[in-house]
């Protein structure tokens, strides 16, 4: 009976082969990081370009700018039409934040804690405004609001933006309720508290960071909304997004870039606050 000698591997060969693996992995990670960075830069670049345009000394859109000035920010703040559109948008956004946070929080509690018939269908319907294209939603609202005289006024915008913002609140608050330990609420109930008191004293303090984050999402969804506002605005009441569309068509100046820069800065500050709120809630 013959036996073949077992194959042996040289220690030197094994070290050479093993040394290629971490090197190849590092190269792939580097290439992947560069690709992701390039994609992110491509996505962010158009937003960043409005900043130097807003500081352009010329009276028309020009890149790179020939000189730097804050003139267009001053014109935005001093123009009565821009001020009226900004104040109108802020009033709508703040009111929408309050209404959608209250409605969305109650809806999230019902969907997460309640034993409702057709619960899955109700959850899908509650997210409908995020799925339906805003163009379709805007046309539908115009056809409904126009006979009722709700186009171009505060009530019409409040209703429309609340419908659009509620899904963001439902998603955020529902996630917080799913993570919340229900035994804490049951303990409060067993100690004699009713449902309302247990919610405000036990549940709400624990999910407060998520509710605050949902409120910020609702504010941004209302303040930055442009498509629906285009359909339900009129000369009597227009949001800042509708005003921007009009000036792009008829009066294109670097003021548009300055307004865009301010909107980007506002969004970044609010998104940063969301990050802090969510992080505080997880600690």
């Amino acid at each position: 009976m013959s036996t073949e000698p077992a194959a042996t591997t040289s220690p030197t060969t094994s070290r050479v082969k093993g040394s290629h693996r971490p090197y190849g992995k590092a190269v792939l990670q580097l290439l992947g990081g560069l690709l992701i960075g390039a994609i992110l830069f491509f996505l962010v670049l158009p937003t960043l370009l409005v900043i130097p345009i807003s500081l352009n000394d010329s009276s028309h859109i020009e890149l790179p700018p020939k000189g730097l000035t804050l003139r267009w920010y001053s014109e935005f703040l001093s123009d009565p039409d821009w001020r009226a559109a900004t104040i109108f948008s802020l009033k709508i956004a703040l009111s929408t934040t309050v209404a959608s946070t209250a409605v969305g929080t109650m809806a999230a509690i019902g969907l997460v804690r309640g034993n409702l018939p057709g619960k899955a269908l109700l959850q899908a319907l509650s997210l409908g405004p995020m799925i339906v294209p805003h163009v379709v939603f805007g046309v539908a609202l115009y056809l409904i609001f126009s006979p009722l005289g709700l186009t171009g006024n505060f009530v019409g915008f409040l209703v429309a933006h609340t419908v659009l913002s509620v899904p963001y609140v439902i998603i955020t608050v529902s996630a917080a309720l799913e993570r919340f330990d229900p035994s804490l609420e049951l303990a409060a109930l067993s100690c004699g508290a009713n449902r309302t008191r247990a919610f405000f004293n036990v549940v709400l303090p624990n999910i407060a960071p998520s509710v605050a984050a949902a409120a910020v999402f609702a504010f941004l969804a209302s303040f930055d909304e442009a498509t629906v506002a285009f359909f339900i605005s009129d000369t009597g009441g227009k949001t800042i997004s509708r005003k921007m569309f009009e000036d792009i068509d008829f009066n294109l100046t670097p003021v548009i870039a300055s307004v865009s820069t301010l909107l980007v800065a506002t969004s970044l500050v609010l998104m940063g606050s969301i990050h802090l709120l969510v992080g505080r809630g997880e600690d």
Side-chain angles (χ1 to χ4, degrees):
M1 181 175 177
S2 61
T3 58
E4 296 181 359
T8 59
T9 304
S10 169
T12 305
T13 305
S14 62
R15 284 197 300 268
V16 172
K17 290 183 178 179
S19 63
H20 284 293
R21 292 177 183 175
Y23 177 76
K25 185 177 181 181
V27 171
L28 290 176
Q29 290 178 344
L30 177 61
L31 292 176
L34 291 175
L35 178 61
I36 294 173
I39 293 173
L40 292 176
F41 178 75
F42 176 76
L43 294 175
V44 174
L45 181 61
T47 304
L48 297 178
L49 289 179
V50 300
I51 299 175
I53 294 175
S54 69
L55 300 173
N56 187 17
D57 194 25
S58 175
S59 59
H60 56 274
I61 302 296
E62 190 176 69
L63 190 71
K66 294 181 178 178
L68 299 179
T69 181
L70 296 175
R71 165 191 171 190
W72 307 112
Y73 291 91
S74 177
E75 286 200 15
F76 163 69
L77 295 174
S78 61
D79 188 285
D81 291 335
W82 278 112
R83 286 204 310 268
T86 303
I87 294 172
F88 188 61
S89 292
L90 286 173
K91 287 170 57 178
I92 295 169
L94 292 173
S95 301
T96 299
T97 300
V98 175
S100 60
T101 302
V103 173
T105 301
M106 291 187 290
I109 293 171
L111 292 172
V112 174
R113 297 292 181 82
N115 188 16
L116 304 174
K119 184 176 178 179
L121 178 61
L122 291 175
Q123 289 176 331
L125 290 176
S126 66
L127 303 180
M130 295 181 64
I131 301 171
V132 176
H134 283 198
V135 173
V136 177
F137 188 69
V139 172
L141 285 179
Y142 175 78
L143 296 176
I144 296 173
F145 283 4
S146 184
L148 299 176
L150 293 177
T151 55
N153 60 41
F154 176 80
V155 176
F157 273 101
L158 177 60
V159 173
H161 284 192
T162 299
V163 173
L164 292 173
S165 302
V166 162
Y168 296 96
V169 179
I170 292 176
I171 292 174
T172 307
V173 177
S174 295
L177 289 172
E178 292 287 354
R179 296 193 303 267
F180 177 72
D181 186 1
S183 62
L184 298 177
E185 185 179 6
L186 293 175
L189 295 174
S190 65
C191 291
N194 56 29
R195 286 283 182 181
T196 303
R197 187 174 181 182
F199 173 76
F200 283 102
N201 291 347
V202 178
V203 179
L204 186 59
N206 283 277
I207 66 171
S210 295
V211 174
V216 175
F217 278 124
F219 179 88
L220 289 174
S222 172
F223 192 70
D224 293 339
E225 202 287 319
T227 306
V228 174
F230 187 83
F231 287 94
I232 62 176
S233 297
D234 62 13
T235 55
K238 66 182 70 173
T239 61
I240 190 171
S241 56
R242 173 63 186 269
K243 172 66 175 170
M244 291 177 69
F245 272 113
E246 289 184 355
D247 278 36
I248 288 174
D249 286 335
F250 305 109
N251 187 30
L252 184 58
T253 65
V255 174
I256 297 292
S258 66
V259 176
S260 301
T261 302
L262 292 174
L263 290 178
V264 170
T266 302
S267 299
L268 290 176
V269 171
L270 292 178
M271 291 302 295
S273 66
I274 290 177
H275 179 74
L276 292 176
L277 290 171
V278 173
R280 182 175 299 179
E282 293 177 352
D283 292 340

